[in-house]
Amino acid sequence: MKALARLAKAPLLPVGFWLAGLVAFTVLAIDGLFVGANPVFVVARLTAYVTVGTLAAVTVAFVAMLGLACGMMLTWLGEPTNPRLIVVAMCRSYWWVGSYVWLGVALLAIDPPVALTALEMVEPHALEARIGGTAAFTWMARLRHVALAGFLVTVAWLLAQQSKPLNAILSVAFGAAALAALTTALGFLAGEPTPV
Amino acid sequence: METPFGKHHWFGNFCCAVAVLLIGLASGMGIADWISSMPTETLTSMGGARPTESSIDRTAWELFAFILRRNMTVFVVLLLGLVSAGTVTIVVLLGNGIAIGQLIGFAKGAGMSNVAVANLLLPHGVLELGALCVAGAVGLQGARIALRLPTLNRACLGSLRLGLVLAYGLASLSVAAGIEAFVTADYAESLRGWS
């Protein structure tokens, strides 16, 4: 039991849990939607895998940005902080994101997506419609805010172990605001220009 | 560059970024060849696919803005490698390399000559990919930052010269987007009319 408790406190275990879940979810989702040896499906599968890989890496970067912002705010508030404390708090909060992804895996296993046909692939909104019609994806979209809130609350709780609770909450709020600003700016940059 | 992150490592990191991009490029070309060698009977029924109106009705200036925004996003995302031990940089460089490699592979598979492919890609590609590799070199410093996390200070972070890198990226990608929107697009159009 003690060994299990010690394992649960290991900082990298939640990250591994999340990564394993993400791999399982990606394989189930992509290989469920794009089935067959048709080159169109091969290209779609490849593109989807590269996209998920990029998203996973960007997620790690965003969490690191959140950690940086939290650390900066804690330092500014005069709390004793160090990189290890921040890294451990971020990593251990991954239990939430990992659970969220594994829930998606369970939902996909119960109700797998119906594969797209080659003719559907050329229809502009067929993929969106198929994703909208799959219970696992719909529930994942609904629950993403719960996972995010759980993640942030856990970060605040873990930081509060070493600093004043109010300062920990303030640092997480600042980090979340900084991250929101960054994602909004990136979204604005990547978005289509408005027609003149 | 005379400070810890800059002095000895930036050129090595730039070479690493170029190498990752080239690995992606080779993989992309291999994938394109592999896909081209597959049976294509099922594709004949899908020949009616046409580009959407929005992709056709773009003026050169709109195309310029579109390309610049997309490339700047990739540039900024490559810099996120600084806070993710270089992971984002490697994945994004590899992904972009694969995309470009596939493009070249499919173009050559469709019978386009080497000269035509070079004319389409090189004029803007040299500046564009050069800028992205510079961002990649900076992003790859993230691995070193992660290793030195406990001893990081303001001087170390200042030596990254992110302002200068961003200014260079904006300038270089603007010129590249200008060439792509005003020169390459016309050349591509002439190739389409010719074939």
Side-chain angles (χ1 to χ4, degrees), chain B residues 15 23 30 32 38 40 55 67 78 96 114 121 128 163 167-168 171:
Chain B
C15 291
I23 290 170
M38 288 180 169
T40 53
S55 66
I67 294 167
L78 281 170
N96 274 280
N114 287 340
L121 291 181
E128 193 176 294
Y168 166 74

Side-chain angles (χ1 to χ4, degrees), chain A residues 50, chain B residues 20-21 23-25 27 89-99:
Chain A
V50 171
Chain B
V20 173
L21 193 74
I23 290 170
L25 203 84
S27 312
T89 306
I90 291 173
V91 173
V92 172
L93 277 175
L94 209 58
N96 274 280
I98 290 174

Side-chain angles (χ1 to χ4, degrees), chain A residues 37-39 42-43, chain B residues 29-41 43 105-106 109-110:
Chain A
N38 188 314
V42 177
V43 174
Chain B
M29 288 177 73
I31 291 165
D33 285 346
W34 174 57
I35 291 170
S36 301
S37 67
M38 288 180 169
T40 53
E41 301 86 40
L43 287 176
F106 284 131

Side-chain angles (χ1 to χ4, degrees), chain B residues 170-186:
Chain B
L170 184 63
S172 185
L173 291 176
S174 298
V175 176
I179 295 170
E180 193 171 353
F182 295 102
V183 181
T184 311
D186 284 346

Side-chain angles (χ1 to χ4, degrees), chain B residues 8-82:
Chain B
H8 303 297
H9 304 293
W10 78 269
F11 186 68
N13 281 349
F14 181 78
C15 291
C16 280
V18 173
V20 173
L21 193 74
L22 287 177
I23 290 170
L25 203 84
S27 312
M29 288 177 73
I31 291 165
D33 285 346
W34 174 57
I35 291 170
S36 301
S37 67
M38 288 180 169
T40 53
E41 301 86 40
T42 42
L43 287 176
T44 49
S45 58
M46 296 162 54
R50 289 279 177 271
T52 54
E53 283 297 313
S54 63
S55 66
I56 296 168
D57 294 341
R58 262 198 196 118
T59 66
W61 280 105
E62 282 173 342
L63 187 64
F64 168 78
F66 173 79
I67 294 167
L68 181 59
R69 287 167 77 157
R70 285 291 161 103
N71 286 341
M72 273 310 287
T73 308
V74 177
F75 191 88
V76 173
V77 170
L78 281 170
L79 293 179
L80 285 180
L82 280 172

